[in-house]
Amino acid sequence: MGDQAQLLPGTLDLLILKAVSLGPLHGYGVLLRIGQMTGQALLVEQGALYPALFRLVRQGLLKASWGTSENNRRAKFYELTVAGRKRFREETESWNRLATAMSAALASRAEEV
Amino acid sequence: MKLPAYLRSIAAKFFRRAQLASDMNEELHSHIAHRADDLERSGLTHQAAERQARIEFGAYERYREASYEALGGKWIQGFAQDMRLSLRTLRKSPGFLVATVLTLALAIGANAVVFSVLNAFILKPLNVPNPENLYGIWRNADATMYESYPDYIDMRDRNRSFDELIAYTVSEAGLDTGDNPSHVWLMESSGNYFDALGLQPYLGRVFHASDEHGPSSAPYAVLTYAYWQSHFQSDRSIVGRVVRLNKHPYTIVGIGPPDFHGTLLFFNPDVFVPIVNHQQWGDNDLNNRGDRWIFMTLGHLKAGVTPAQAAGDLDRIGTDLAKTYPKYDEKLKSFSLARPSLYGDYVGRPMREFLSGLMLLAGLILLAACANLGSLFAARAADRSREVALRLALGSSRRRILRGLFAEAILISLAGGAVGLAGSVVLLRGLSEWQPISQWPLQLNVNPDAKVYLVALLLAVVSGIIFGAVPVRQVLRANPYEIVKAGSSRRVGRGFAARDVLLVIQIAICAVLVTSSMVAVRGLARSLHEDFGFSVESRLLVDTNLSMAGYKGEQAAAMQRRMIEAVAAIPGVESAALADTLPLGVDSNDTAVFTDNTSDLKPSSAAAECYVYKVSPGYFHAAGTTLLSGRAFTWTDDKDEPPVAIVNREFARRIFGSVEKALGGHFKRRDGTRIQVVGVAEEGKYGSLTEDPQPAFFLSILQAPSNVTTMEVRSDRDQQQLGPAIRARLRNMDAGLPVFIETRLKAMDAFLFGPRMATIALGVLGVMGAMLSITGIFGLAAYSVSKQLRELGIRIALGAKRAEVLQAALARPVRLLAFGSGAGLLLGVLASRVLALIVYQATPRDPLVLAGVVLAMGLLGLLATWIPAQRALSIDPLALLREE
């Protein structure tokens, strides 16, 4: 586990939005998809997912409905609302800006400054 | 954040708690099961997989709680907790609770009542479509809205500013539906009245401009909805029926819209009739340009026209008319626009000023109450300092403690607001049903509406925050270690300073209120014992209008003489006489008079505008007006004799120079008649209680007939018996003549209404102010004694005398009281200048008032410090010292 990166605050929400933007998922599915997408490089404690999911529902970014999973179990599926999709786009853009700026800053050498 | 999603989330949390919990459990367990499935597939045994899945999930309960919190609404829970705690603490001190709630209820109730009246009088518009651009025409020269019919027609047809100009006037008539004739109030309105106001009838039709074809051409009546309900029991078949108004046949064509009471606020007429029929109820000539009898002309301004532009437009027409008809319309040059609902500035301005003043005083009451509660809260916070210290020491945040204190304040303020509002609703209901002036169909509909409730709620919350904020500093500064160490015997130190200031402010405000109310009460008492120039005691008035029973000309004069003789013959009646109008009566007439040597009788050369009364022989004795010299009228002063008059002293002084010169002299009226003065009477009050001496003269009713008369009956008999006797006597003479009987004092309701209301309102506020100062001083005195119990006990043990103990215990509150009262008295005296405008003879420089205020505040102080003083004196030092 030592080579897994710690999550920056606020990034969990964005990861969840990204995961769900590809299609409705139940909670465990969100976890799996985040794992796939990040190449298992990011650590999310499993239970920590749920407060985030409930918060996103409260904020009207996700909506939830009960359904049946591929394992034939009852599970709650989450999908993006219109507001959620919009927020996802905005957050992605601002993340990209930040990431570009950060990497540019970290790559600069003494003579360039 | 999306509000609907948020609300759904909170709603689920609070209203479907059980389902939410089971949902959440199922979801989390489903997660663990899915993980276990995966682990099992990778080769673990079922048990091992489940165990591993649970471990990977992490602290189940913690995440469940966190999820629950993520649903939002944490503050609601905190709030509910605060409220529950506050309710519990308040229940433990019921005395505090009752005192604070009642104090606030009084203050908020007073504000709700005053605001409701203000709302009804000034803020609420007339009940017609688009009331905001409805304006009446105000003539600046003589400060009235009265117009003559020809002028109205000219202004209606020539103005470019109004959509439609309408006119109305108020008169009375006898309505005969076949049996018992009854008295009704007419609103005579121009044909375009309903159409211009945009009103639809409830039933049938209204009359239109097209119904008017010259004088007395439109015998149509529209009943008001209220009159139709009360007098025709909502009988729909009434429409189309012919009734008689003053013996003239009228067809009831329709019923007005519900809740429409005409275009004068609070005045509730019974029947609308076309104004072109005016000659059937009034003596006024429709074609006489100089006869300004139309009560009001008004209309909606055209879109985009400002009141100033409209006034300019009217000035143009007025100047033109003055040029064309110099004999009549000289004064017709300058107009302004005024709100029609309270008769423009005539009633509107004093009403606005008075109500604003009252609102200010009510606001002061609330401020005083807040100061009072603030000091109570500060004292309470000080008493609870140990509890607060303990909570702080145990890790509670200061914010949380303050929130608790505010929750208490808000709870009390809401409870106080609710109680106060309930009380004010009862009061306002009563006020709305009351008919303040018996002769007029006036009803003050001041029932509270949504605006009033909102204001009361707002005041409650704001005052809660204000007095809740007083102890904030105390809590923020509290040092738990010091407080717990020092115990309950802290010295009474600087912490009092803020409270002292609050108390002084509060007492000053209360003293202002007590001063104002005393000034007002004293003013009213004086104005009631004023010399009016006639007697009020032992007089009955009998109003009749012979037109209502169809009398005309000579017939009417003969009937009037028979009526006087019949009433004078009733046992116990000293004298009876007729007058067309009475001084300080509902109606009054004034006219221009000219000196005898004026030949050009145009308005600008008039010597004076005078009140004129047409009276029968015996009037001066019946009315109790003293004749200074000359003679009274006799039955021989009739049509065959040259016209004579009796003038008052002011008239004699102004027109002739002195009483002696007036007697036997002549003056002229507008139409050129020369009138000889045969007597001079004392002055009186004619148009208002506050007027300066006005010139007035009396004519013989035999020479200047009037069908509308009031009989003044002078008798020492019980008025309750005399009234029916007069009524029976007159009914014997003509059963078809409506008769209205009241006492002379009651007839002056209209003039006493303002001062009376002012006095009642100020009196109530004064009493409330006094009560607040009692509770304030009591609170401080009691607190100060209880804080110093130990010190006082030691003093007593060391042999202090009673006076010394009292001084130590109560010197401070008493000093504050004296200081506050002094400041308040000074302010009150200054503020009373405003009162003098409303309440006749209200002068603050009245030694009785000043002494009264000082005495009242002293008594209040004595009353409020009595119990604390007793407590201080009854201290048993031994018991006290043993306790510590």
Side-chain angles (χ1 to χ4, degrees):
Chain A
M1 293 250 263
D3 54 350
Q4 281 181 322
Q6 281 292 324
L7 268 179
L8 283 170
T11 44
L12 180 58
D13 286 9
L14 183 53
L15 280 175
I16 292 174
L17 292 179
K18 170 71 186 172
V20 175
S21 74
L22 304 172
L25 285 174
H26 51 75
Y28 183 60
V30 172
L31 196 73
L32 289 182
R33 180 146 315 152
I34 291 177
Q36 286 164 9
M37 290 187 307
T38 59
Q40 315 297 339
L42 288 175
L43 170 76
V44 179
E45 208 186 350
Q46 296 190 3
L49 189 65
Y50 285 90
L53 281 173
F54 280 102
R55 191 170 56 243
L56 291 170
V57 171
R58 186 191 79 203
Q59 291 173 353
L61 304 177
L62 294 184
K63 59 184 175 201
S65 54
W66 286 95
T68 314
S69 72
E70 59 289 350
N71 289 13
N72 213 15
R73 288 186 186 278
R74 237 167 89 73
K76 207 173 184 184
F77 284 79
Y78 294 90
E79 57 186 314
L80 281 182
T81 62
V82 177
R85 200 162 289 284
K86 186 164 160 249
R87 172 71 70 85
F88 172 56
R89 271 199 306 275
E90 289 163 6
E91 297 260 313
T92 311
E93 270 168 36
S94 82
W95 177 263
N96 285 341
R97 269 200 304 278
L98 178 68
T100 319
M102 277 306 286
S103 43
L106 294 175
S108 64
R109 293 158 206 259
E111 60 267 28
E112 288 173 31
V113 179
Chain B
M1 186 182 296
K2 288 282 179 209
L3 195 63
Y6 181 66
L7 291 180
R8 246 200 321 276
S9 172
I10 288 183
K13 184 164 177 174
F14 288 98
F15 298 114
R16 292 185 296 141
R17 209 178 276 234
Q19 204 206 329
L20 187 77
S22 75
D23 255 26
M24 204 177 269
N25 273 329
E26 188 177 352
E27 186 175 4
L28 301 188
H29 280 125
S30 151
H31 176 106
I32 294 172
H34 276 95
R35 179 65 187 155
D37 288 347
D38 277 2
L39 289 172
E40 217 175 320
R41 246 175 264 142
S42 70
L44 285 170
T45 65
H46 183 68
Q47 271 93 1
E50 275 198 345
R51 185 162 173 275
Q52 180 68 20
R54 271 204 297 276
I55 291 171
E56 281 180 15
F57 188 80
Y60 180 86
E61 281 303 323
R62 196 185 111 206
Y63 288 125
R64 204 173 61 93
E65 288 243 316
S67 303
Y68 200 68
E69 250 173 43
L71 286 173
K74 188 176 172 212
W75 59 273
I76 294 186
Q77 274 176 313
F79 182 72
Q81 244 170 27
D82 284 343
M83 285 294 162
R84 268 199 300 275
L85 181 67
S86 310
L87 273 180
R88 266 208 304 272
T89 27
L90 283 178
R91 230 181 3 226
K92 264 193 250 160
S93 39
F96 176 79
L97 183 66
V98 169
T100 47
V101 166
L102 276 188
T103 304
L104 210 58
L106 279 179
I108 289 186
N111 276 276
V113 168
V114 175
F115 180 75
S116 200
V117 172
L118 187 85
N119 182 33
F121 274 75
I122 290 165
L123 303 181
K124 244 192 243 169
L126 277 175
N127 193 12
V128 296
N130 309 319
E132 63 286 343
N133 66 350
L134 191 63
Y135 285 95
I137 297 178
W138 178 260
R139 207 169 55 241
N140 295 331
D142 42 3
T144 74
M145 296 177 115
Y146 279 100
E147 284 304 339
S148 69
Y149 193 71
D151 278 350
Y152 156 66
I153 296 293
D154 277 325
M155 292 212 271
R156 181 190 71 187
D157 295 342
R158 291 167 63 176
N159 85 78
R160 299 177 202 141
S161 320
F162 290 91
D163 274 334
E164 193 71 70
L165 201 59
I166 57 184
Y168 76 88
T169 202
V170 170
S171 50
E172 300 162 77
L175 173 71
D176 192 348
T177 53
D179 42 274
N180 211 8
S182 58
H183 173 270
V184 289
W185 283 91
L186 300 180
M187 194 162 249
E188 300 174 37
S189 31
S190 52
N192 55 4
Y193 186 81
F194 292 99
D195 295 330
L197 290 174
L199 296 169
Q200 298 298 325
Y202 174 74
L203 209 64
R205 70 174 188 101
V206 292
F207 46 81
H208 305 283
S210 54
D211 289 321
E212 295 179 329
H213 307 284
S216 304
S217 60
Y220 310 117
V222 174
L223 303 183
T224 59
Y225 185 84
Y227 189 74
W228 176 59
Q229 282 205 316
S230 59
H231 285 73
F232 292 98
Q233 288 74 42
S234 308
D235 175 9
R236 301 177 86 86
S237 69
I238 192 77
V239 174
R241 207 195 299 173
V242 175
V243 295
R244 285 175 178 275
L245 282 169
N246 282 10
K247 305 283 179 198
H248 303 288
Y250 270 74
T251 310
I252 296 179
V253 293
I255 312 296
D259 293 330
F260 178 66
H261 305 290
T263 32
L264 192 61
L265 210 58
F266 305 132
F267 187 87
N268 301 329
D270 304 315
V271 184
F272 291 94
V273 291
I275 203 166
V276 287
N277 292 21
H278 179 73
Q279 267 146 358
Q280 297 180 338
W281 355 96
D283 303 329
N284 313 90
D285 185 353
L286 226 50
N287 295 317
N288 181 350
R289 200 169 278 274
D291 191 358
R292 305 188 192 284
W293 53 272
I294 293 179
F295 188 67
M296 196 187 294
T297 51
L298 67 163
H300 283 293
L301 284 184
K302 282 187 175 147
V305 176
T306 65
Q309 287 168 341
D313 184 26
L314 292 170
D315 289 352
R316 175 185 60 82
I317 301 169
T319 314
D320 201 32
L321 287 177
K323 235 178 267 161
T324 322
Y325 310 101
K327 191 161 172 243
Y328 301 111
D329 288 339
E330 215 173 11
K331 288 196 272 182
L332 203 71
K333 284 172 195 156
S334 151
F335 296 93
S336 50
L337 294 198
R339 285 290 171 197
S341 54
L342 282 175
Y343 200 66
D345 287 348
Y346 184 72
V347 181
R349 182 177 301 158
M351 201 64 115
R352 260 197 304 279
E353 280 167 1
F354 176 62
L355 285 177
S356 317
L358 213 54
M359 195 75 236
L360 194 76
L361 288 183
L364 282 181
I365 282 270
L366 188 61
L367 211 62
C370 281
N372 190 344
L373 295 185
S375 60
L376 277 180
F377 259 70
R380 188 171 153 82
D383 281 343
R384 283 167 61 187
S385 53
R386 269 169 82 93
E387 176 205 326
V388 169
L390 213 58
R391 283 174 66 187
L392 283 175
L394 290 176
S396 172
S397 71
R398 280 168 207 265
R399 221 174 105 194
R400 192 66 204 268
I401 289 172
L402 282 182
R403 223 168 63 186
L405 284 178
F406 269 109
E408 248 168 60
I410 297 282
L411 267 182
I412 285 173
S413 70
L414 287 182
V419 175
L421 195 60
S424 67
V425 167
V426 173
L427 198 71
L428 289 167
R429 285 249 168 83
L431 206 57
S432 296
E433 270 159 34
W434 178 50
Q435 276 214 334
I437 300 171
S438 56
Q439 308 94 319
W440 291 341
L442 288 187
Q443 234 165 7
L444 313 172
N445 184 9
V446 291
N447 273 322
D449 58 7
K451 228 183 291 172
V452 175
Y453 294 124
L454 196 73
V455 165
L457 178 73
L458 213 69
L459 286 180
V461 172
V462 168
S463 47
I465 291 174
I466 291 178
F467 64 74
V470 172
V472 165
R473 217 180 46 147
Q474 235 169 320
V475 173
L476 288 182
R477 283 224 182 135
N479 179 346
Y481 179 67
E482 285 295 323
I483 291 172
V484 174
K485 195 179 68 174
S488 63
S489 59
R490 287 173 309 124
R491 66 202 166 78
V492 186
R494 270 196 63 242
F496 265 98
R499 238 170 295 150
D500 289 348
V501 173
L502 283 179
L503 191 71
V504 168
I505 292 174
Q506 185 202 333
I507 290 174
I509 292 174
C510 294
V512 167
L513 292 167
V514 171
T515 311
S516 325
S517 72
M518 283 207 174
V519 167
V521 170
R522 179 102 169 110
L524 183 76
R526 274 197 194 176
S527 68
L528 283 184
H529 292 98
E530 177 74 0
D531 183 12
F532 297 121
F534 54 85
S535 301
V536 176
E537 305 297 317
S538 313
R539 300 294 196 285
L540 267 191
L541 300 183
V542 184
D543 289 342
T544 54
N545 178 350
L546 289 180
S547 305
M548 289 189 192
Y551 291 86
K552 286 194 187 77
E554 287 300 318
Q555 226 183 339
M559 175 64 179
Q560 282 170 346
R561 182 161 186 176
R562 285 213 310 282
M563 278 162 54
I564 296 176
E565 283 162 0
V567 172
I570 295 174
V573 171
E574 277 180 57
S575 63
L578 291 178
D580 66 332
T581 57
L582 288 176
L584 294 185
V586 176
D587 276 324
S588 67
N589 296 316
D590 54 317
T591 182
V593 299
F594 302 83
T595 54
D596 197 25
N597 43 27
T598 312
S599 50
D600 184 10
L601 300 180
K602 57 177 201 250
S604 56
S605 51
E609 274 295 314
C610 305
Y611 287 99
V612 53
Y613 301 95
K614 303 167 180 174
V615 301
S616 75
Y619 169 79
F620 292 96
H621 183 253
T625 303
T626 315
L627 270 185
L628 301 174
S629 65
R631 66 171 177 90
F633 292 126
T634 65
W635 289 106
T636 54
D637 290 321
D638 58 12
K639 280 227 158 77
D640 305 329
E641 297 294 313
V644 291
I646 292 168
V647 302
N648 73 351
R649 183 162 39 193
E650 180 67 14
F651 186 105
R653 201 183 55 72
R654 274 209 218 169
I655 314 288
F656 296 100
S658 73
V659 174
E660 291 72 35
K661 282 187 210 155
L663 210 58
H666 287 80
F667 65 90
K668 277 185 191 162
R669 297 190 67 188
R670 183 79 158 273
D671 55 9
T673 343
R674 277 185 86 221
I675 302 179
Q676 191 184 21
V677 176
V678 294
V680 179
E682 63 173 331
E683 291 112 2
K685 298 290 175 195
Y686 304 102
S688 88
L689 291 174
T690 49
E691 71 192 9
D692 294 327
Q694 297 292 318
F697 65 97
F698 300 84
L699 297 173
S700 166
I701 201 168
L702 302 167
Q703 296 178 336
S706 167
N707 269 4
V708 183
T709 56
T710 299
M711 189 190 295
E712 177 127 20
V713 182
R714 176 174 181 172
S715 166
D716 285 330
R717 257 181 79 177
D718 180 10
Q719 300 188 324
Q720 299 294 331
Q721 294 173 6
L722 187 58
I726 295 174
R727 192 181 293 279
R729 195 59 68 98
L730 292 178
R731 178 153 294 184
N732 274 344
M733 298 172 68
D734 186 337
L737 180 68
V739 172
F740 183 74
I741 300 180
E742 65 188 340
T743 63
R744 184 67 174 106
L745 188 63
K746 202 109 182 69
M748 288 169 31
D749 276 353
F751 295 93
L752 296 175
F753 176 64
R756 270 186 189 151
M757 287 312 288
T759 307
I760 291 174
L762 291 168
V764 168
L765 289 179
V767 169
M768 289 175 63
M771 283 166 68
L772 280 179
S773 54
I774 288 186
T775 54
I777 301 165
F778 175 79
L780 182 76
Y783 186 71
S784 143
V785 167
S786 76
K787 278 286 148 190
Q788 296 181 77
L789 272 183
R790 231 161 76 105
E791 182 199 329
L792 294 175
I794 293 171
R795 277 173 190 256
I796 291 176
L798 291 178
K801 293 200 191 80
R802 288 164 71 91
E804 287 163 348
V805 173
L806 279 186
Q807 204 212 339
L810 298 172
R812 191 174 196 133
V814 169
R815 249 203 322 270
L816 293 180
L817 172 70
F819 191 58
S821 309
L825 187 62
L826 207 68
L827 281 175
V829 167
L830 292 179
S832 298
R833 281 161 195 277
V834 184
L835 284 181
L837 297 176
I838 309 154
V839 183
Y840 182 48
Q841 296 224 333
T843 162
R845 282 197 211 86
D846 182 343
L848 212 65
V849 167
L850 294 179
V853 174
V854 171
L855 196 69
M857 293 312 286
L859 275 178
L860 292 181
L862 200 64
L863 206 65
T865 46
W866 185 259
I867 294 173
Q870 289 302 317
R871 187 159 171 224
L873 288 179
S874 65
I875 290 172
D876 177 0
L878 272 182
L880 201 70
L881 293 175
R882 250 199 321 267
E883 256 176 41
E884 284 284 327

